[in-house]
Every structure is written in structure tokens, then in C-alpha cells.
Amino acid sequence: MAEVQLQTQTRADEAFDCLQTAIVKGDLAPGEKIGEVELCSRFNLTRGPLREALGRLESRGLLVRRPHAGVKVVSVSADELIELYRIREVMEGLAARQAAERMTDEEIRDLLATLDSHEAMIEEAQGQAYYQAEGDYDFHHRIATGSRNTKLAQMLLGDLYYMVRMYRYRLSTSAGRPHMALGEHRSIVEAIAQRDGELAEFLMKRHINAARQNIEKKIQEGVLTI
Amino acid sequence: MAEVQLQTQTRADEAFDCLQTAIVKGDLAPGEKIGEVELCSRFNLTRGPLREALGRLESRGLLVRRPHAGVKVVSVSADELIELYRIREVMEGLAARQAAERMTDEEIRDLLATLDSHEAMIEEAQGQAYYQAEGDYDFHHRIATGSRNTKLAQMLLGDLYYMVRMYRYRLSTSAGRPHMALGEHRSIVEAIAQRDGELAEFLMKRHINAARQNIEKKIQEGVLTI
DNA sequence: GCAAGGTGTATTGTTGACAATCCGGCTATT
DNA sequence: AATAGCCGGATTGTCAACAATACACCTTGC
């Protein structure tokens, strides 16, 4: 890890970031029980800041903690993953609607530009699920912040996405889905550009619905085990 | 505060609960800057557990913290309060739909019973906004847990409701609104009892929409200053 | 041979002291 | 007189040692 970061941020923040990315990236597997001292040596910090970070992560639902028994990474069942997408559907629908009402013209131009770069990424890194996931994340990230709804963005970016990303990394997207998703992204942005909030909401909900069904199918096929 | 609580819960949990209720009840006013040592003496605990609790509260958005500068209770602007209700609208709509699909018959009976008690409370404690708010909270609480959507319930109960309640306590409900709200609650439960998820979602969204408009009107009238 | 109880160790929870940083008031200079 | 720089006090961030609890293993009795 970077030894010298911006000193304006405290050790606890550092610990928080490290742990969060470690969980999301899968370095700390779901269900894995982790000891405090082990984490301390691993990230070069003491138990004080670590415990503070642990508290934050628990509050966000990425860890579960039993008093005196230790802390372990949360493990999401298949059903719960589906439920996550149901939540995303309504929340991101709202985000899209508000983004259509409030994004600046410049932000919309930027959004379009990123879509182009995503397309290039898909062509280039064919089958590289990682980059596709990152592009997808970038898109949804921009919509969330574009909604100008502080709490909504906070809940999406600080809560839901981390949990979704935990599993998206090991979710090989099915063939053809990236192209389809990109098309859906384009129509959403189009609706936003036309300031049609209602349509943007509808399209976003359908987009996430499709993603959910894609995952559901895979789980039923047994391709994906959680 | 209760000196001897259930010993199965740690000091940090205790601190967390104390602070959370203190913030919600208004004992710690929004925008108020609070020192760590002061809190320690106030709740009879040391800075270690306190800081852990502070971290959790910050992560939930009830506090804002600037490094080395202290921690202060979050203050929500009028616009942000409105935004909160927009989020509630979609999330509780989802909760109502899923509750209609998943609540047990017994839970629905209980829910009906609580509505009756709410009605009695309104009649009795006429104008006592506090009890009305508590009844309202109870209703929404049951729907959220009835959705059987762990994360959804967690986000509603652990995040949004605390922020809403912060301000609901000082929001004198307008005359006649409690009766109207109760009627809306009844129709929602009716839809749930008939397992009509779509209708339940629609009614819940309209219910929260009405509450939002009520608040918006008051803010515009200048009756309510935040 | 199996189960129940007790003990020991390792891990977590807590505490108090130490170091780093920021805020307010003061002085001095332009 | 106003502003820039500085200094003291207070507060936050961090650390290392102490106490309490739970889990695992072992012993002992049936």
C-alpha cells in the first residue's frame, strides 16, 4: 500500500479504504474470519484506528461482528444478491429521473464520451469481465452523482455498489450481454439528454431488471454458485 | 442512562445507541459541534469506544467529521429533507410490494391491530405530534421488516428513518393530516392483505408523496424553518 | 468409548497516557 | 487601522499495556 498518502486523512480512513477495497476485490473472501492483529500487521497500523474502521465497515454491512468472537466478512446469499438488484432498480430509477432533470449539459457530454470509451474497452478487452465491470460502474456512478441527491448518491455509492461489486468481480458476464448493456446505457443517456426524466427512470429500471434476470438465470443454471 | 444493560453488548454499542437517540431526539441539535471529552463525561465512557461509535455514526451520515477539527451533528437543509422523502417514496414502495408478497397472515393481522391502536392514540392524544409520529414510525417499521429484504430493511431502518425522525419531532403535523394518513395506512394494509403488491406499492408511494407535499407546503409558507 | 465439565490460551474490549494538529488571540508591521 | 505572522491552549489522533471474554483442548467420570 502507499506508504505516504495525503496526510490530510487520518489513519482510520486509510484503514477503512484498505479494508474496503480488500473486501471488494476479494482479497478477503466472504465468510472469512479475520483477526485484528493479523490485519494490523498486514496493513501496518495499530488496533485503535483499525477498530474504528471496523466499526464503520460493520455499520455499512460489509462486516458482521459478534462481541468477543471476532469479525468476519459478510457473505451474501444468492437470494440476497437478487434482493440487492431489486433495491438498485428503484433507487437508480430515481437517480436517472433526477439526473435527467439536473445534470448540466457538460456532464451529459462527458457521459456520452465515457460511453464511447466503454465501447472501445469492450471491443478491445473482449471477455475481460474486469474492465467491463469497471466501465459499467463508472456509468452508474455518474448517474448517481448527477442526480444531485446527496443522500441517494451516498447510499448507492457508499453502500450498495460495494456489495454488488464484491460479487461482480467473480461474475463472468454472459456473452453478448456487454454489448446489450451498452445499448441500454446509450438509450438512458439519450433520455437524459432530452430531459425526459420519466423515460430515463423507466429505461434504467428495465436495464437493472435485465441484469438481475441475467444473474438469476445463471444461478438457476448452476453456473454461478455463491 | 441505564447503568447495567445487557452485558452481551459492548460499550461501543452502548455509546452508539446513546448518541443515536440523543441526536434523533434533538438533545444534540443539528449543526452542534461536540467535543469528545464532553461526550465521554456525559455518557460515562472512555474515548476508545466513543470514537468507534463516532465512526459508525459518521458512516451512517448522522455526523460529519473533519480531521483534527472535531465532529458535529449533521444539519439537513430543507432541500435535502425533501430529497429524503423522494428516496423513501421509491424504497418504501418496493418494501410495500414485497411485504404484500411475503408477510405472513399473522403479521398482517398484527399490523391491522396496531392500526386500531394508532387510531385510538390519535383520538386520545389530540395534537400530540410525538405519539402520532411514533405510531407512524411503527407502521413503516413493520412494512420494512415485512418485506423480508434484509438490506432494504437495514437501509430504511438504519439510515433513512433516523434522519427523518430527527426532523419529524419538531414537525408539527398539520390539522387533519393524522386522520388522513391513517386512512392511507389502512388502504395500504388492505392491499397487502389482498396480496396485491402492485397496488400496495402504488398506494405507499402516493402516501409518502402526500407527506412530502405537506412538508413542502409548510416550508414555502415559512411555518417550518430548518 | 463418549460426553460433560474445567482449565488454558488466544483474541477481543477497554483504558490511560503520549504525540500531532488545529483554532483563537496577540503582537508587530505596513 | 488593518492584516499578516506567531504563539499558547485545547482538542483530536495514536499508541501500548491491562482486563475480560470466548473457543479449543484436555481430563475425568460414566
Side-chain angles (χ1 to χ4, degrees), chain A residues 131-160:
Chain A
Y131 291 106
Q132 290 166 16
E134 279 306 302
D136 189 56
Y137 173 71
D138 188 23
F139 171 77
H140 290 280
H141 186 101
R142 281 166 189 265
I143 302 276
T145 54
S147 74
R148 297 282 192 285
N149 189 330
T150 318
K151 188 72 185 174
L152 179 64
Q154 183 189 322
M155 291 174 94
L156 280 172
L157 302 176
D159 253 320
L160 277 181

Side-chain angles (χ1 to χ4, degrees), chain A residues 115-131:
Chain A
L115 279 191
D116 290 336
S117 88
H118 293 171
E119 184 162 24
M121 262 176 20
I122 290 175
E123 296 295 334
E124 182 188 332
Q126 211 161 1
Q128 290 255 29
Y130 177 87
Y131 291 106

Side-chain angles (χ1 to χ4, degrees), chain B residues 1 17-34 38-39 42-43 62-63 73-75 130 134 161-171:
Chain B
M1 301 300 126
D17 290 338
C18 285
L19 284 182
Q20 196 168 33
T21 59
I23 292 173
V24 169
K25 284 211 167 187
D27 295 345
L28 268 50
E32 185 176 346
K33 187 166 152 293
I34 47 185
E38 186 198 332
L39 290 177
R42 194 157 158 182
F43 295 114
L62 262 66
L63 297 178
V73 181
V74 74
S75 74
Y130 177 85
E134 279 306 302
Y161 283 178
Y162 282 109
M163 299 202 72
V164 171
R165 284 212 292 173
M166 263 179 74
Y167 289 91
R168 189 147 42 163
Y169 277 120
R170 72 201 65 171
L171 247 59

Side-chain angles (χ1 to χ4, degrees), chain B residues 10-12 46-49 66 68-69:
Chain B
T10 175
R11 293 284 256 215
T46 53
R47 285 182 56 214
R66 256 189 16 215
H68 301 278

